[in-house]
Amino acid sequence: MFVSLIHQQTRVSAILLTFLSLTLFGGSTAAQETLDERLQREFSEVVRPLLKTHCGDCHMGGANEAGVNLEDYVSIDRIREHESSWEQVRGVIRADAMPPPENSQLGTEDRARLVDWIDSALHEIDCNCEIPTPAVTLRRLNRVEYDNTIRDLLGVDFSPSEDIGFLSDDVGNGFDNQGEVLTLPPIMLEKYMQAAALIANRVIETDRKKMRNQVFDGIATPYGETQTVEPFLAAGTYDVTVRMRFGDRQPDKAYVIIRCNGETIRELDVKTDTDSFDFQIDAIYGHNKLSIEYFNDENPDKKADSNRRLFVDSVRFKGPRNGQAAFTYIHERLVTAYPEQVDAPNTNPIGQTEATRRVFASFLPKAYRRPVSTEEIDAVVNVCDRAEKAGYSYLESLRFGLQATLVSPQFLYRSENMDDHALAVRLSYFLWSTMPDDELRGLADQGRLRNQDVLKQQIARMLDSPRSIALVDGFFGQWLGLRNLNKIDIDQNKFMGWNDRLRASLIKETQMFCAELLEKGTIDDLLTANFTFVNPRLAEFYGMQYEGRDPAEMYSQNRKANDGKRRTRRYEKEDDWIRVSLPENRKGILTHAAVLALTSNPTRSSPVKRGKWVLENLLGDPPPSAPPNVPSLEEGKADEKATLRESLEIHRSNPSCAGCHKIMDPIGLGLENFDAIGRWRDNEDGIAIDAKGELVDGSVFQTPTELVAILSTKTDQVLENLASRMFTYATGRGIQRPDRCVLERVIAYTNENKRTFRSLVEGICLSDAFLQKPNISPLVSIPLSPPNELPSHE
């Protein structure tokens, strides 16, 4: 009876809603029409007739020019099945590239009607109903995630993917962490097996005796600074030898203090010839800190001389004098049990199988990033037992178990069944590109991570962590294309300042800028920020001072070597970066030299590439691909003396090119005051730069600064694009139609929270799609949400 009452109430509610709908909308049938019904009706009544009239001769009725046959598309579902093709159709119609402008009868209103309808058909969705959340795509760890995970899981300080030579990760939807492209070809599996063997051999030591001698490389230490080595030692007395010298052919000496765990061990006079200094230390079990401080010399007035440094060749530890040496820290962290150990006095040793079980019972939950079953532990223990029966020692058998763990699907693939542990995994790989840390795992174990307040606290903690630099490199680096800067080939004969050090500085500038935005910046700052970060090299490149000094006087190497060849400058404070205010002619990301060089050709700037980059990467509105058989820009030149602007005008005279280029070219030409590597210029080859232009919306500008100001009014479009890109990166899959409702909520949440980058990250992490909740509640709940909170979707 209770169920019957519920059914009656549901029916009454439906009747009331129908009554209200008829009352509010005058009883019209349009009010009851669903979104897809409306779109299908408009397609039949308006869109298809327009396509037949203006495109039918070439693309319907059996015509199939350029492989495009619009006759096949008779329903919305069919159109959505070929979304990328219809995005191209929308693009060429919007750009006036199709139908061909020279014989087109398509009016402005009808063109806009077609563009708007295609956009609605592909992207619009009714968010006032329940929509299933798209399924999770199983994801393999990419190269960066694999290296970071191995580092944090085992404590190693090398990159297995580089040492073994992993294949480059495929890119999908603009990123290399997308489940659909992270396949596992046989050669990749072979690489994983090689990497697992390498890691196991480096982590698990089988010869304890060799640990009695540990040697560490030293570095060159400037005046007043200290270098430190931290060996992992057993308790006992050790003999230590430090080989070092003072400077290059210095007539005097340096004064050095050696300390162990804060206690002064020796004070030394170090001369210019390399010498060995021997002493003893009493070590504690664990990490011991040996510091070598260059605290004074006979001529402190010369301390700035780059040759007056303390060169430490090596530091050697031998011992302990009594007892066994310790294994390495990473070994002892993994190998937590041995066959000979006993649990209590007068009991038998636990034996090899039990010791193995204890090692992997502790290790596997970290490696698999979730609780593990007895069967999963037994599977690894069985591998080790078989190795023992084959004649391998206990430690050697553990190596086989570790290898088996590192090539298992449970390690190589991310479990995203979206319980609390899976949420910890998704959150950690999104923000850190690595496995969850102890705090995240602990909250997942307690089942508290889905609590909204707890989740917000963790997002803030993770963004405040130095590990969040992975989000800068992984997301911003790929979104902005910074990774591609290492691949571009700039003509160094034409651009004398270009070299690998400058290239690295340009990349780091933009990385530091993005890190600053992620910490405390807004979406608007991306285009309007009046600050950046420079080292002396970049300050000279931009024509700025560095801490009140002329950076041209701050290099420590001559511009020419003894053979007369030019070599790269090495600046004082080469690695010291400072925040500076930008001059009037630069503002925001668009005037970063990294972006400008990235969108150039080897010998000249490229207005087309720059315009396309702004449309695609910032505004999220990429122009359609160039039609086939279009002549290149060089082929379209009137003569060799034609300016770039004149060449582009000739290029646009081709009707097939005009539509797209009228959108791209004005933006790129507005940035022509910046040369191919991003330096400011007022003229090129003696001809004054003409940077004025007009955008397709009628906005007019005279200078790059005015162009940036116009583009800065489009930050809502930038936010929409940015949210889509970051959502794609976070979930590891492309945007699907149901995600449009999620993105609307994320954008609304970001706008409600001062449009900060952090609120965008938080909004994505708190969204239904990221949390993988089963349904999305009606969009009308947004106004009822408390301030600074995402709407409840319970």
Side-chain angles (χ1 to χ4, degrees):
M1 181 176 180
F2 180 69
V3 173
S4 177
L5 284 173
I6 292 177
H7 287 168
Q8 290 178 21
Q9 289 178 356
T10 303
R11 186 179 179 188
V12 170
S13 297
I15 294 172
L16 287 174
L17 286 173
T18 302
F19 170 76
L20 288 173
S21 174
L22 292 171
T23 303
L24 293 172
F25 295 101
S28 68
T29 57
Q32 304 173 48
E33 195 174 34
T34 67
L35 172 66
D36 283 4
E37 288 172 344
R38 174 177 64 81
L39 290 171
Q40 184 65 51
R41 176 177 54 78
E42 291 175 352
F43 179 74
S44 301
E45 296 176 359
V46 179
V47 174
R48 188 171 178 83
L50 283 174
L51 292 174
K52 188 172 184 178
T53 300
H54 300 284
C55 309
D57 290 345
C58 299
H59 302 291
M60 298 178 79
N64 190 26
E65 189 167 325
V68 177
N69 185 0
L70 300 180
E71 190 76 50
D72 293 341
Y73 299 97
V74 295
S75 69
I76 297 236
D77 290 339
R78 175 72 171 162
I79 289 170
R80 287 170 178 162
E81 288 174 1
H82 297 82
E83 179 177 340
S84 60
S85 298
W86 278 85
E87 284 284 12
Q88 286 285 90
V89 172
R90 170 185 170 273
V92 294
I93 294 175
R94 173 178 171 271
D96 292 347
M98 289 290 166
E102 64 271 19
N103 54 21
S104 173
Q105 302 288 321
L106 185 62
T108 302
E109 290 185 5
D110 285 340
R111 186 179 296 275
R113 189 175 289 117
L114 284 175
V115 170
D116 291 343
W117 185 89
I118 295 172
D119 189 57
S120 295
L122 297 182
H123 304 305
E124 191 175 346
I125 188 168
D126 185 359
C127 296
N128 293 306
C129 61
E130 291 188 349
I131 304 166
T133 301
V136 171
T137 302
L138 188 64
R139 276 192 275 175
R140 174 175 60 81
L141 301 180
N142 65 21
R143 288 183 58 162
V144 172
E145 293 167 343
Y146 181 90
D147 282 345
N148 290 350
T149 302
I150 292 294
R151 176 200 67 201
D152 294 334
L153 177 65
L154 294 166
V156 300
D157 59 357
F158 66 97
S159 298
S161 69
E162 293 183 8
D163 289 2
I164 296 300
F166 282 11
L167 305 178
S168 297
D169 295 312
D170 289 332
V171 174
N173 306 310
F175 301 103
D176 63 3
N177 67 345
Q178 303 292 286
E180 63 192 57
V181 298
L182 287 170
T183 57
L184 186 60
I187 190 172
M188 193 66 231
L189 182 58
E190 182 178 337
K191 295 290 185 182
Y192 279 136
M193 295 178 71
Q194 293 173 5
L198 173 69
I199 295 164
N201 289 339
R202 292 196 184 182
V203 170
I204 300 176
E205 296 286 351
T206 58
D207 183 5
R208 196 167 197 163
K209 291 181 180 179
K210 77 175 185 179
M211 303 309 300
R212 297 186 64 83
N213 285 281
Q214 298 187 46
V215 181
F216 298 83
D217 293 331
I219 59 175
T221 305
Y223 175 91
E225 295 190 13
T226 301
Q227 63 176 291
T228 302
V229 292
E230 297 189 32
F232 189 82
L233 304 172
T237 301
Y238 285 77
D239 296 308
V240 181
T241 300
V242 180
R243 286 183 56 81
M244 55 186 166
R245 61 186 172 86
F246 175 49
D248 292 321
R249 298 182 297 277
Q250 297 299 311
D252 42 18
K253 56 192 175 185
Y255 301 124
V256 176
I257 295 179
I258 295 180
R259 298 183 178 90
C260 181
N261 299 326
E263 179 183 350
T264 299
I265 303 297
R266 292 280 299 275
E267 294 188 11
L268 305 169
D269 297 344
V270 182
K271 298 181 181 180
T272 193
D273 295 326
T274 301
D275 200 355
S276 296
F277 299 88
D278 300 317
F279 50 91
Q280 296 175 0
I281 64 168
D282 290 323
I284 59 174
Y285 173 77
H287 283 108
N288 289 256
K289 184 176 181 179
L290 186 82
S291 61
I292 305 169
E293 180 185 359
Y294 167 21
F295 75 96
N296 205 350
D297 65 33
E298 289 187 332
N299 288 288
D301 293 339
K302 297 182 180 180
K303 63 183 180 181
D305 189 337
S306 61
N307 289 324
R308 295 179 71 82
R309 290 182 289 173
L310 181 68
F311 292 92
V312 179
D313 293 338
S314 63
V315 182
R316 181 185 298 273
F317 296 84
K318 185 177 181 180
R321 290 189 173 183
N322 299 303
Q324 288 187 320
F327 283 111
T328 63
Y329 173 68
I330 58 177
H331 173 106
E332 298 214 356
R333 192 170 70 164
L334 174 63
V335 185
T336 56
Y338 289 86
E340 60 271 18
Q341 74 184 53
V342 295
D343 288 340
N346 304 317
T347 59
N348 294 324
I350 62 175
Q352 183 157 326
T353 298
E354 178 59 22
T356 302
R357 182 177 304 281
R358 293 184 185 185
V359 168
F360 287 101
S362 173
F363 177 68
L364 286 183
K366 299 175 185 176
Y368 293 170
R369 304 174 285 275
R370 57 170 173 76
V372 296
S373 65
T374 301
E375 290 75 13
E376 288 173 318
I377 298 173
D378 287 343
V380 179
V381 171
N382 182 53
V383 171
C384 299
D385 285 346
R386 293 175 64 182
E388 180 205 5
K389 292 175 182 178
Y392 291 96
S393 69
Y394 171 64
L395 293 177
E396 289 170 334
S397 73
L398 291 184
R399 285 180 173 176
F400 286 101
L402 179 56
Q403 291 179 56
T405 301
L406 298 183
V407 297
S408 67
Q410 291 90 336
F411 173 76
L412 293 176
Y413 284 84
R414 292 166 48 177
S415 171
E416 292 192 341
N417 59 9
M418 294 321 291
D419 59 10
D420 274 54
H421 290 94
L423 176 57
V425 168
R426 175 171 276 202
L427 190 65
S428 186
Y429 280 99
F430 171 31
L431 301 182
W432 286 350
S433 296
T434 190
M435 60 184 285
D437 64 358
D438 291 341
E439 187 168 337
L440 276 176
R441 287 199 303 271
L443 289 169
D445 289 340
Q446 299 166 25
R448 296 176 55 207
L449 194 53
R450 285 182 175 271
N451 178 283
Q452 191 173 91
D453 290 336
V454 172
L455 187 53
K456 283 184 176 182
Q457 291 169 1
Q458 289 303 304
I459 295 167
R461 177 182 73 87
M462 295 176 74
L463 289 177
D464 289 338
S465 166
R467 290 186 183 184
S468 64
I469 192 65
L471 182 59
V472 174
D473 181 60
F475 172 70
F476 288 94
Q478 294 183 83
W479 170 45
L480 299 175
L482 294 181
R483 292 185 178 181
N484 296 326
L485 195 59
N486 285 318
K487 303 175 185 178
I488 67 170
D489 184 21
I490 295 292
D491 187 341
Q492 290 182 280
N493 292 322
K494 186 168 184 179
F495 299 96
M496 300 291 289
W498 183 261
N499 55 58
D500 288 340
R501 288 188 186 276
L502 176 62
R503 189 200 309 259
S505 294
L506 299 186
I507 294 173
K508 186 164 185 178
E509 175 201 8
T510 304
Q511 287 176 331
M512 294 183 71
F513 176 77
C514 292
E516 180 82 353
L517 295 185
L518 188 60
E519 180 182 356
K520 52 187 177 185
T522 68
I523 307 302
D524 302 342
D525 291 334
L526 189 68
L527 289 172
T528 63
N530 62 354
F531 68 88
T532 191
F533 297 86
V534 298
N535 62 357
R537 180 181 302 278
L538 209 52
E540 182 177 9
F541 177 83
Y542 282 139
M544 303 175 180
Q545 286 197 323
Y546 181 91
E547 295 182 330
R549 298 175 62 186
D550 182 355
E553 304 300 327
M554 293 180 64
Y555 56 93
S556 56
Q557 292 182 359
N558 294 328
R559 300 190 74 176
K560 291 185 178 180
N562 294 332
D563 58 6
K565 294 182 180 179
R566 182 173 60 86
R567 64 182 179 182
T568 303
R569 292 180 175 184
R570 175 71 184 180
Y571 291 78
E572 300 171 29
K573 299 188 175 183
E574 176 84 22
D575 300 321
D576 290 348
W577 289 76
I578 59 174
R579 176 173 167 147
V580 296
S581 297
L582 286 170
E584 288 298 321
N585 58 6
R586 292 187 187 270
K587 194 175 290 289
I589 194 74
L590 270 181
T591 60
H592 276 220
V595 171
L596 295 163
L598 184 67
T599 53
S600 294
N601 291 324
T603 59
R604 61 169 175 80
S605 59
S606 173
V608 176
K609 287 183 179 179
R610 288 177 178 175
K612 183 177 184 294
W613 188 92
V614 171
L615 291 170
E616 185 169 5
N617 291 60
L618 286 185
L619 302 179
D621 194 11
S625 302
N629 303 319
V630 172
S632 67
L633 184 60
E634 285 71 19
E635 293 172 334
K637 283 186 177 182
D639 57 63
E640 294 184 356
K641 296 182 179 179
T643 66
L644 192 55
R645 179 179 287 271
E646 291 168 343
S647 298
L648 283 170
E649 289 174 355
I650 296 169
H651 198 66
R652 285 197 300 272
S653 65
N654 185 329
S656 298
C657 305
C660 298
H661 280 272
K662 76 176 184 180
I663 301 173
M664 296 185 293
D665 292 358
I667 298 174
L669 288 169
L671 298 171
E672 265 299 281
N673 280 111
F674 302 101
D675 69 10
I677 60 175
R679 295 176 303 195
W680 180 267
R681 59 183 177 177
D682 293 309
N683 60 75
E684 182 181 25
D685 299 329
I687 302 175
I689 296 293
D690 181 4
K692 67 177 181 294
E694 181 179 352
L695 303 184
V696 290
D697 63 2
S699 303
V700 177
F701 57 88
Q702 302 293 325
T703 65
T705 303
E706 292 181 8
L707 169 63
V708 172
I710 292 172
L711 294 174
S712 298
T713 65
K714 303 179 184 295
T715 49
D716 285 344
Q717 192 173 345
V718 172
L719 172 56
E720 182 180 345
N721 174 54
L722 178 57
S724 297
R725 299 291 187 107
M726 188 174 286
F727 179 88
T728 297
Y729 179 81
T731 58
R733 61 173 175 78
I735 301 293
Q736 301 180 33
R737 288 185 65 246
D739 296 321
R740 302 293 169 181
C741 301
V742 174
L743 289 172
E744 284 187 33
R745 288 179 171 82
V746 170
I747 291 168
Y749 183 83
T750 306
N751 283 324
E752 291 168 5
N753 287 274
K754 301 180 180 179
R755 296 171 61 87
T756 64
F757 276 86
R758 292 173 76 97
S759 65
L760 174 59
V761 172
E762 189 175 83
I764 290 173
C765 293
L766 296 173
S767 68
D768 285 341
F770 189 86
L771 297 174
Q772 206 61 26
K773 289 187 177 181
N775 290 301
I776 299 175
S777 63
L779 189 64
V780 292
S781 66
I782 281 184
L784 305 179
S785 302
N788 300 328
E789 296 280 337
L790 272 183
S792 172
H793 305 317
E794 299 297 340

